[in-house]
DNA sequence: CATTCGTGGTT
DNA sequence: TAACCAAGAAT
Protein backbone atom coordinates (compact mmCIF):
# COMPACT_ATOMS: atom_id res chain seq x y z
CA UNK A 1 0.00 0.00 0.00
CA UNK A 2 1.24 3.47 -0.78
CA UNK A 3 3.48 4.76 1.97
CA UNK A 4 2.24 8.28 1.34
CA UNK A 5 -1.27 8.96 0.03
CA UNK A 6 -0.53 12.61 -0.58
CA UNK A 7 2.42 12.05 -2.88
CA UNK A 8 0.49 9.31 -4.67
CA UNK A 9 -2.27 11.77 -5.52
CA UNK A 10 0.28 14.37 -6.58
CA UNK A 11 2.02 11.98 -8.94
CA UNK A 12 -1.25 10.73 -10.42
CA UNK A 13 -2.69 14.21 -10.94
CA UNK A 14 0.55 15.35 -12.54
CA UNK A 15 0.27 12.51 -15.03
CA UNK A 16 -3.41 13.22 -15.67
CA UNK A 17 -2.80 16.88 -16.42
CA UNK A 18 -0.06 15.95 -18.87
CA UNK A 19 -1.62 13.14 -20.87
CA UNK A 20 -4.34 13.35 -23.54
CA UNK A 21 -7.81 13.23 -22.05
CA UNK A 22 -9.98 10.32 -23.06
CA UNK A 23 -13.23 12.25 -22.77
CA UNK A 24 -13.17 15.12 -25.26
CA UNK A 25 -16.44 16.64 -24.07
CA UNK A 26 -15.18 17.22 -20.57
CA UNK A 27 -13.55 20.46 -19.53
CA UNK A 28 -9.78 20.55 -19.25
CA UNK A 29 -8.51 19.26 -15.91
CA UNK A 30 -8.19 22.01 -13.35
CA UNK A 31 -10.48 24.24 -15.37
CA UNK A 32 -11.88 27.23 -13.54
CA UNK A 33 -15.37 27.04 -15.01
CA UNK A 34 -17.46 24.45 -13.18
CA UNK A 35 -18.86 21.76 -15.47
CA UNK A 36 -22.60 21.77 -16.16
CA UNK A 37 -24.10 19.22 -13.73
CA UNK A 38 -26.68 18.27 -16.35
CA UNK A 39 -23.98 17.38 -18.88
CA UNK A 40 -21.96 15.50 -16.28
CA UNK A 41 -25.04 13.55 -15.18
CA UNK A 42 -26.04 12.74 -18.76
CA UNK A 43 -22.55 11.55 -19.68
CA UNK A 44 -22.17 9.45 -16.54
CA UNK A 45 -25.49 7.70 -17.13
CA UNK A 46 -24.53 6.96 -20.74
CA UNK A 47 -21.12 5.68 -19.70
CA UNK A 48 -22.50 3.08 -17.32
CA UNK A 49 -21.15 -0.22 -18.68
CA UNK A 50 -20.65 1.54 -22.01
CA UNK A 51 -17.52 2.55 -23.87
CA UNK A 52 -16.65 6.17 -24.56
CA UNK A 53 -16.71 5.45 -28.29
CA UNK A 54 -20.27 4.09 -28.15
CA UNK A 55 -21.69 6.78 -25.85
CA UNK A 56 -20.02 9.79 -27.48
CA UNK A 57 -22.36 10.26 -30.48
CA UNK A 58 -25.43 9.72 -28.28
CA UNK A 59 -24.18 12.30 -25.81
CA UNK A 60 -23.69 14.90 -28.53
CA UNK A 61 -27.12 14.23 -30.01
CA UNK A 62 -28.90 14.40 -26.65
CA UNK A 63 -27.18 17.61 -25.64
CA UNK A 64 -27.93 19.26 -28.97
CA UNK A 65 -31.58 18.19 -28.91
CA UNK A 66 -32.19 18.74 -25.19
CA UNK A 67 -29.68 21.37 -23.99
CA UNK A 68 -31.01 21.51 -20.42
CA UNK A 69 -32.64 19.20 -17.95
CA UNK A 70 -35.89 21.12 -18.39
CA UNK A 71 -35.80 20.43 -22.12
CA UNK A 72 -35.28 16.75 -21.49
CA UNK A 73 -38.05 16.70 -18.91
CA UNK A 74 -40.45 18.31 -21.37
CA UNK A 75 -39.76 15.74 -24.08
CA UNK A 76 -42.19 12.89 -24.70
CA UNK A 77 -40.95 9.65 -23.23
CA UNK A 78 -41.10 7.82 -26.57
CA UNK A 79 -38.77 10.40 -28.09
CA UNK A 80 -36.19 9.81 -25.37
CA UNK A 81 -36.44 6.02 -25.72
CA UNK A 82 -36.15 6.27 -29.50
CA UNK A 83 -33.09 8.49 -29.18
CA UNK A 84 -31.54 5.93 -26.83
CA UNK A 85 -32.22 2.99 -29.16
CA UNK A 86 -29.07 1.01 -29.88
CA UNK A 87 -27.22 2.06 -26.75
CA UNK A 88 -28.56 -0.75 -24.56
CA UNK A 89 -29.62 -1.08 -20.93
CA UNK A 90 -32.89 0.70 -21.64
CA UNK A 91 -33.81 1.14 -17.99
CA UNK A 92 -31.20 3.89 -18.12
CA UNK A 93 -33.34 5.78 -20.62
CA UNK A 94 -36.51 5.29 -18.59
CA UNK A 95 -34.76 6.38 -15.40
CA UNK A 96 -33.07 9.26 -17.19
CA UNK A 97 -36.40 10.69 -18.23
CA UNK A 98 -37.95 10.11 -14.80
CA UNK A 99 -34.99 11.78 -13.08
CA UNK A 100 -35.12 14.74 -15.45
CA UNK A 101 -38.79 15.28 -14.67
CA UNK A 102 -38.07 15.05 -10.95
CA UNK A 103 -35.23 17.57 -11.10
CA UNK A 104 -37.29 19.91 -13.26
CA UNK A 105 -40.48 19.72 -11.25
CA UNK A 106 -39.35 19.17 -7.65
CA UNK A 107 -36.00 20.99 -7.73
CA UNK A 108 -36.75 23.77 -10.19
CA UNK A 109 -34.27 22.37 -12.68
CA UNK A 110 -31.35 22.45 -10.24
CA UNK A 111 -29.44 19.22 -9.58
CA UNK A 112 -28.72 18.13 -6.01
CA UNK A 113 -25.10 18.91 -5.17
CA UNK A 114 -24.42 16.20 -2.62
CA UNK A 115 -23.74 12.52 -3.04
CA UNK A 116 -26.76 11.70 -0.91
CA UNK A 117 -29.09 13.96 -2.83
CA UNK A 118 -27.91 12.64 -6.18
CA UNK A 119 -28.18 9.06 -5.01
CA UNK A 120 -31.93 9.54 -4.60
CA UNK A 121 -32.43 10.11 -8.34
CA UNK A 122 -33.56 7.06 -10.33
CA UNK A 123 -30.69 5.50 -12.22
CA UNK A 124 -28.07 7.13 -10.01
CA UNK A 125 -26.23 4.55 -7.92
CA UNK A 126 -23.11 4.71 -5.74
CA UNK A 127 -20.69 5.22 -8.60
CA UNK A 128 -22.67 7.84 -10.50
CA UNK A 129 -23.58 9.84 -7.39
CA UNK A 130 -19.95 9.98 -6.34
CA UNK A 131 -18.77 10.85 -9.84
CA UNK A 132 -21.21 13.75 -10.26
CA UNK A 133 -20.55 15.05 -6.74
CA UNK A 134 -16.79 15.01 -7.32
CA UNK A 135 -16.67 16.21 -10.93
CA UNK A 136 -19.50 18.74 -11.01
CA UNK A 137 -19.50 19.93 -7.39
CA UNK A 138 -15.96 19.31 -6.10
CA UNK A 139 -17.15 17.10 -3.27
CA UNK A 140 -14.59 14.71 -1.82
CA UNK A 141 -16.38 11.51 -2.84
CA UNK A 142 -14.93 8.05 -3.37
CA UNK A 143 -15.52 7.33 -7.05
CA UNK A 144 -15.28 3.59 -7.65
CA UNK A 145 -15.98 2.05 -11.02
CA UNK A 146 -14.51 -1.09 -12.59
CA UNK A 147 -11.35 0.78 -13.56
CA UNK A 148 -10.79 2.10 -10.08
CA UNK A 149 -11.53 -1.31 -8.62
CA UNK A 150 -8.80 -2.81 -10.77
CA UNK A 151 -6.29 -0.05 -9.99
CA UNK A 152 -6.99 -0.26 -6.25
CA UNK A 153 -6.92 -4.06 -6.16
CA UNK A 154 -3.44 -3.99 -7.70
CA UNK A 155 -2.22 -0.98 -5.77
CA UNK A 156 -3.16 -2.53 -2.42
CA UNK A 157 -2.70 -6.16 -3.55
CA UNK A 158 -6.27 -7.08 -2.63
CA UNK A 159 -6.55 -10.83 -3.14
CA UNK A 160 -10.17 -11.18 -2.05
CA UNK A 161 -12.30 -11.90 -5.15
CA UNK A 162 -14.88 -9.39 -6.39
CA UNK A 163 -17.60 -8.56 -5.58
CA UNK A 164 -16.77 -9.52 -1.97
CA UNK A 165 -13.82 -7.11 -2.04
CA UNK A 166 -15.95 -4.08 -2.91
CA UNK A 167 -16.30 -2.64 0.63
CA UNK A 168 -12.58 -2.99 1.29
CA UNK A 169 -11.67 -1.35 -2.00
CA UNK A 170 -14.16 1.44 -1.51
CA UNK A 171 -12.71 2.21 1.91
CA UNK A 172 -9.15 2.34 0.58
CA UNK A 173 -10.12 4.59 -2.33
CA UNK A 174 -11.82 6.87 0.19
CA UNK A 175 -8.55 7.21 2.08
CA UNK A 176 -6.68 7.86 -1.14
CA UNK A 177 -8.99 10.59 -2.44
CA UNK A 178 -7.65 14.12 -1.87
CA UNK A 179 -9.80 17.05 -0.73
CA UNK A 180 -8.37 19.23 -3.50
CA UNK A 181 -9.57 18.45 -7.05
CA UNK A 182 -11.40 15.21 -6.22
CA UNK A 183 -13.03 15.27 -9.65
CA UNK A 184 -9.70 15.34 -11.45
CA UNK A 185 -8.43 12.62 -9.14
CA UNK A 186 -11.40 10.39 -9.94
CA UNK A 187 -10.99 10.86 -13.68
CA UNK A 188 -7.25 10.31 -13.34
CA UNK A 189 -7.85 6.97 -11.61
CA UNK A 190 -10.33 5.92 -14.31
CA UNK A 191 -8.07 7.00 -17.16
CA UNK A 192 -5.16 5.20 -15.53
CA UNK A 193 -7.25 2.05 -15.42
CA UNK A 194 -8.40 2.47 -19.01
CA UNK A 195 -5.09 3.43 -20.59
CA UNK A 196 -2.28 2.00 -18.43
CA UNK A 197 -3.53 -0.34 -15.71
CA UNK A 198 -5.51 -2.42 -18.22
CA UNK A 199 -7.18 -5.76 -17.48
CA UNK A 200 -4.65 -7.68 -19.55
CA UNK A 201 -0.97 -6.83 -19.96
CA UNK A 202 -0.91 -3.69 -17.81
CA UNK A 203 1.71 -1.19 -18.93
CA UNK A 204 3.51 -0.97 -15.59
CA UNK A 205 6.62 0.48 -17.24
CA UNK A 206 4.58 3.53 -18.26
CA UNK A 207 2.69 3.81 -14.98
CA UNK A 208 3.22 7.08 -13.08
CA UNK A 209 2.51 5.40 -9.74
CA UNK A 210 4.22 2.04 -10.26
CA UNK A 211 6.49 2.78 -7.32
CA UNK A 212 3.47 2.70 -4.99
CA UNK A 213 2.02 -0.55 -6.32
CA UNK A 214 2.03 -3.42 -3.85
CA UNK A 215 0.65 -5.81 -6.47
CA UNK A 216 3.57 -5.11 -8.74
CA UNK A 217 6.04 -5.43 -5.90
CA UNK A 218 4.66 -8.89 -5.23
CA UNK A 219 4.57 -9.77 -8.93
CA UNK A 220 0.82 -10.48 -8.89
CA UNK A 221 -0.53 -7.24 -10.39
CA UNK A 222 -1.71 -8.76 -13.67
CA UNK A 223 -3.62 -11.52 -11.85
CA UNK A 224 -5.67 -8.92 -9.95
CA UNK A 225 -8.44 -8.26 -9.31
CA UNK A 226 -9.74 -11.76 -8.78
CA UNK A 227 -13.35 -12.58 -9.64
CA UNK A 228 -15.90 -15.07 -8.40
CA UNK A 229 -16.56 -17.73 -11.07
CA UNK A 230 -19.05 -16.79 -13.78
CA UNK A 231 -22.20 -18.57 -14.83
CA UNK A 232 -22.67 -20.19 -18.23
CA UNK A 233 -24.96 -18.60 -20.81
CA UNK A 234 -28.06 -20.48 -21.97
CA UNK A 235 -29.73 -20.17 -25.38
CA UNK A 236 -33.35 -19.11 -25.83
CA UNK A 237 -35.24 -19.62 -29.07
CA UNK A 238 -38.35 -18.15 -30.64
CA UNK A 239 -40.10 -17.30 -33.89
CA UNK A 240 -40.12 -13.66 -34.98
CA UNK A 241 -43.10 -12.64 -37.10
CA UNK A 242 -42.32 -10.32 -39.96
CA UNK A 243 -45.79 -9.09 -40.94
CA UNK A 244 -45.77 -7.28 -44.26
CA UNK A 245 -48.76 -5.23 -45.34
CA UNK A 246 -49.47 -4.92 -49.05
CA UNK A 247 -47.87 -1.45 -49.07
CA UNK A 248 -44.70 -2.87 -47.53
CA UNK A 249 -45.30 -1.61 -43.98
CA UNK A 250 -44.06 -3.82 -41.13
CA UNK A 251 -45.92 -4.57 -37.92
CA UNK A 252 -44.16 -3.46 -34.73
CA UNK A 253 -45.27 -3.60 -31.14
CA UNK A 254 -44.24 -1.84 -27.92
CA UNK A 255 -42.84 -4.10 -25.21
CA UNK A 256 -44.06 -3.99 -21.62
CA UNK A 257 -42.50 -1.27 -19.53
CA UNK A 258 -40.58 -3.61 -17.24
CA UNK A 259 -37.94 -6.17 -17.99
CA UNK A 260 -35.80 -6.83 -21.01
CA UNK A 261 -35.96 -4.05 -23.64
CA UNK A 262 -38.71 -2.50 -21.51
CA UNK A 263 -40.76 0.13 -23.28
CA UNK A 264 -38.96 -0.38 -26.59
CA UNK A 265 -40.42 -1.31 -29.95
CA UNK A 266 -40.08 -4.88 -31.18
CA UNK A 267 -40.93 -7.23 -33.98
CA UNK A 268 -43.68 -9.51 -32.60
CA UNK A 269 -42.39 -12.93 -31.59
CA UNK A 270 -43.33 -16.08 -29.74
CA UNK A 271 -42.14 -16.34 -26.13
CA UNK A 272 -38.37 -16.71 -25.80
CA UNK A 273 -37.80 -20.12 -24.24
CA UNK A 274 -34.79 -22.28 -23.47
CA UNK A 275 -34.44 -25.61 -25.21
CA UNK A 276 -35.38 -26.72 -28.71
CA UNK A 277 -37.85 -24.62 -30.66
CA UNK A 278 -41.37 -26.07 -30.79
CA UNK A 279 -42.34 -24.68 -34.16
CA UNK A 280 -46.03 -25.52 -33.99
CA UNK A 281 -46.44 -23.99 -30.55
CA UNK A 282 -44.44 -20.93 -31.58
CA UNK A 283 -46.52 -20.28 -34.70
CA UNK A 284 -49.64 -20.30 -32.56
CA UNK A 285 -48.39 -16.98 -31.12
CA UNK A 286 -48.64 -15.23 -34.47
CA UNK A 287 -50.05 -11.70 -34.04
CA UNK A 288 -52.54 -12.21 -36.90
CA UNK A 289 -53.80 -14.74 -39.44
CA UNK A 290 -51.50 -15.21 -42.38
CA UNK A 291 -49.68 -17.87 -44.31
CA UNK A 292 -46.33 -17.95 -42.52
CA UNK A 293 -43.26 -18.79 -44.55
CA UNK A 294 -39.80 -19.35 -43.06
CA UNK A 295 -37.07 -16.94 -44.08
CA UNK A 296 -33.66 -18.44 -44.63
CA UNK A 297 -31.27 -18.46 -41.73
CA UNK A 298 -31.48 -17.41 -38.12
CA UNK A 299 -31.08 -14.07 -36.43
CA UNK A 300 -28.80 -14.51 -33.44
CA UNK A 301 -28.04 -12.05 -30.69
CA UNK A 302 -26.07 -12.31 -27.48
CA UNK A 303 -27.37 -10.55 -24.39
CA UNK A 304 -25.53 -10.32 -21.11
CA UNK A 305 -26.94 -13.50 -19.63
CA UNK A 306 -28.38 -15.47 -22.55
CA UNK A 307 -28.12 -16.01 -26.27
CA UNK A 308 -31.15 -15.60 -28.52
CA UNK A 309 -31.94 -17.40 -31.76
CA UNK A 310 -34.84 -16.07 -33.78
CA UNK A 311 -36.31 -18.03 -36.65
CA UNK A 312 -37.89 -15.37 -38.85
CA UNK A 313 -41.23 -16.13 -40.48
CA UNK A 314 -42.77 -13.83 -43.01
CA UNK A 315 -46.51 -13.36 -43.50
CA UNK A 316 -48.58 -11.14 -45.77
CA UNK A 317 -51.99 -10.84 -44.13
CA UNK A 318 -55.06 -10.28 -46.22
CA UNK A 319 -57.17 -7.19 -45.79
CA UNK A 320 -59.49 -8.94 -43.36
CA UNK A 321 -56.62 -9.97 -41.04
CA UNK A 322 -54.87 -6.59 -40.87
CA UNK A 323 -57.04 -5.36 -38.05
CA UNK A 324 -56.41 -8.42 -35.88
CA UNK A 325 -53.08 -7.19 -34.60
CA UNK A 326 -52.50 -4.38 -32.17
CA UNK A 327 -49.35 -2.46 -32.81
CA UNK A 328 -48.17 -0.01 -35.39
CA UNK A 329 -47.40 -0.38 -39.07
CA UNK A 330 -44.12 1.19 -40.05
CA UNK A 331 -42.94 1.90 -43.57
CA UNK A 332 -39.59 0.30 -44.44
CA UNK A 333 -38.04 3.71 -44.96
CA UNK A 334 -38.95 4.65 -41.37
CA UNK A 335 -37.53 1.53 -39.73
CA UNK A 336 -34.14 3.14 -39.26
CA UNK A 337 -35.55 6.13 -37.39
CA UNK A 338 -38.30 4.76 -35.14
CA UNK A 339 -35.73 3.59 -32.62
CA UNK A 340 -35.38 -0.18 -32.55
CA UNK A 341 -33.07 -2.08 -30.23
CA UNK A 342 -30.17 -3.69 -32.05
CA UNK A 343 -31.57 -7.20 -31.86
CA UNK A 344 -34.75 -6.02 -33.57
CA UNK A 345 -32.84 -4.12 -36.21
CA UNK A 346 -31.20 -7.39 -37.13
CA UNK A 347 -34.68 -8.75 -37.88
CA UNK A 348 -35.98 -5.72 -39.76
CA UNK A 349 -32.74 -5.59 -41.75
CA UNK A 350 -34.32 -8.42 -43.75
CA UNK A 351 -36.86 -6.01 -45.21
CA UNK A 352 -35.14 -2.64 -45.08
CA UNK A 353 -34.63 -1.05 -48.50
CA UNK A 354 -30.87 -0.70 -48.29
CA UNK A 355 -29.37 -2.92 -45.63
CA UNK A 356 -26.49 -1.01 -44.13
CA UNK A 357 -23.09 -2.55 -43.55
CA UNK A 358 -23.96 -2.89 -39.87
CA UNK A 359 -25.71 -6.23 -40.13
CA UNK A 360 -24.96 -7.24 -43.69
CA UNK A 361 -22.72 -10.09 -42.62
CA UNK A 362 -23.21 -12.63 -39.89
CA UNK A 363 -26.58 -11.66 -38.51
CA UNK A 364 -28.85 -13.58 -40.80
CA UNK A 365 -26.44 -16.25 -41.85
CA UNK A 366 -25.74 -19.48 -40.13
C1' DC B 1 -25.51 -11.57 -2.06
C1' DA B 2 -27.10 -13.13 -6.81
C1' DT B 3 -29.61 -12.04 -10.86
C1' DT B 4 -31.31 -9.15 -14.47
C1' DC B 5 -30.51 -5.85 -17.67
C1' DG B 6 -27.53 -4.46 -24.24
C1' DT B 7 -24.20 -3.66 -27.01
C1' DG B 8 -19.85 -3.16 -29.35
C1' DG B 9 -14.90 -3.15 -29.10
C1' DT B 10 -10.68 -6.02 -27.92
C1' DT B 11 -8.03 -9.92 -27.52
C1' DT C 1 -13.81 -16.81 -33.20
C1' DA C 2 -15.25 -17.11 -28.77
C1' DA C 3 -14.43 -15.07 -24.59
C1' DC C 4 -13.74 -11.18 -22.24
C1' DC C 5 -14.78 -6.66 -20.80
C1' DA C 6 -17.02 -2.20 -19.87
C1' DA C 7 -17.00 5.43 -16.42
C1' DG C 8 -23.38 0.07 -12.81
C1' DA C 9 -28.22 0.14 -11.08
C1' DA C 10 -32.26 -2.07 -9.50
C1' DT C 11 -34.29 -5.75 -7.32
Amino acid sequence: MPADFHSFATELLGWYRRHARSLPWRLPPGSAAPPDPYAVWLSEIMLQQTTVAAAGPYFSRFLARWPSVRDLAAAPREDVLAAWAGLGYYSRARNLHAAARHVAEAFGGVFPSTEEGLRALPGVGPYTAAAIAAIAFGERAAVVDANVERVAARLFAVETPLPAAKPEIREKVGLLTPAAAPGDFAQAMMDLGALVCSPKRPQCAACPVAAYCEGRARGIAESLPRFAPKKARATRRAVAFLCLRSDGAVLLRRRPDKGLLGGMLEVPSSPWAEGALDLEAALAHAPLRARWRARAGLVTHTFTHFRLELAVYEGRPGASAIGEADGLWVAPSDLATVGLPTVMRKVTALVEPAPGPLFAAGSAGR
Side-chain angles (χ1 to χ4, degrees):
Chain A
M1 112 173 177
D4 181 352
F5 290 169
H6 179 73
S7 54
F8 172 89
T10 303
E11 291 290 338
L12 182 65
L13 284 167
W15 169 82
Y16 178 62
R17 285 167 181 147
R18 259 177 276 121
H19 89 283
R21 305 193 312 285
S22 62
L23 298 184
W25 63 74
R26 281 201 178 137
L27 293 172
S31 171
D36 176 8
Y38 168 65
V40 173
W41 165 71
L42 180 61
S43 69
E44 293 301 342
I45 299 294
M46 287 185 169
L47 286 167
Q48 289 168 2
Q49 295 288 285
T50 305
T51 60
V52 171
Y58 284 83
F59 177 79
S60 303
R61 265 179 264 138
F62 267 69
L63 212 52
R65 185 168 175 186
W66 299 297
S68 75
V69 67
R70 292 179 198 270
D71 297 318
L72 185 60
R77 188 174 121 118
E78 312 91 70
D79 289 5
V80 176
L81 292 182
W84 195 277
L87 197 54
Y89 285 140
Y90 298 96
S91 67
R92 292 186 296 172
R94 303 192 296 272
N95 287 331
L96 184 85
H97 193 235
R101 296 213 150 157
H102 194 257
V103 169
E105 289 161 15
F107 302 151
V110 179
F111 273 86
S113 63
T114 67
E115 213 175 339
E116 186 187 356
L118 290 159
R119 182 70 181 75
L121 297 174
V124 176
Y127 160 77
T128 306
I132 300 172
I135 295 169
F137 297 110
E139 188 177 305
R140 185 175 174 278
V143 179
V144 183
D145 74 330
N147 288 300
V148 178
E149 275 181 352
R150 183 171 58 257
V151 170
R154 289 171 175 171
L155 186 63
F156 297 100
V158 176
E159 300 193 59
T160 307
L162 288 167
K166 279 175 181 287
E168 178 185 352
I169 288 176
R170 182 182 165 74
E171 182 196 344
K172 291 186 185 304
V173 171
L175 296 174
L176 213 49
T177 303
D184 285 354
F185 178 80
Q187 293 172 83
M189 288 284 280
M190 293 190 277
D191 275 11
L192 186 72
L195 303 173
V196 177
C197 197
S198 42
K200 292 172 186 172
R201 304 173 68 91
Q203 308 297 306
C204 298
C207 179
V209 289
Y212 300 87
C213 186
E214 180 68 19
R216 189 190 185 211
R218 289 197 209 163
I220 58 172
E222 188 168 358
S223 73
L224 301 176
R226 296 182 180 157
F227 290 96
K230 290 157 190 167
K231 226 182 72 176
R233 220 173 348 225
T235 297
R236 302 182 193 174
R237 297 178 177 82
V239 167
F241 297 99
L242 213 42
C243 304
L244 299 179
R245 209 166 57 181
S246 55
D247 64 356
V250 182
L251 178 66
L252 298 181
R253 197 190 258 176
R254 195 166 292 278
R255 291 175 64 87
D257 203 59
K258 303 245 174 191
L260 188 73
L261 307 177
M264 301 298 293
L265 292 173
E266 68 169 354
V267 175
S269 71
S270 65
W272 304 355
E274 286 185 25
L277 182 63
D278 182 340
L279 196 52
E280 196 172 334
L283 289 174
H285 286 89
L288 45 68
R289 277 180 302 116
R291 180 154 168 273
W292 297 103
R293 300 185 53 113
R295 298 282 301 236
L298 287 175
V299 167
T300 68
H301 191 77
T302 303
F303 293 96
T304 302
H305 54 293
F306 67 93
R307 217 171 68 88
L308 179 66
E309 287 183 7
L310 292 174
V312 182
Y313 276 67
E314 182 181 308
R316 300 172 181 272
S320 64
I322 290 287
E324 291 174 3
D326 47 336
L328 59 157
W329 295 90
V330 176
S333 56
D334 292 334
L335 285 173
T337 58
V338 290
L340 283 169
T342 298
V343 59
M344 296 302 160
R345 290 208 58 187
K346 289 181 179 178
V347 178
T348 61
L350 298 175
V351 296
E352 282 183 77
L358 193 52
F359 310 122
S363 63
R366 59 145 317 188

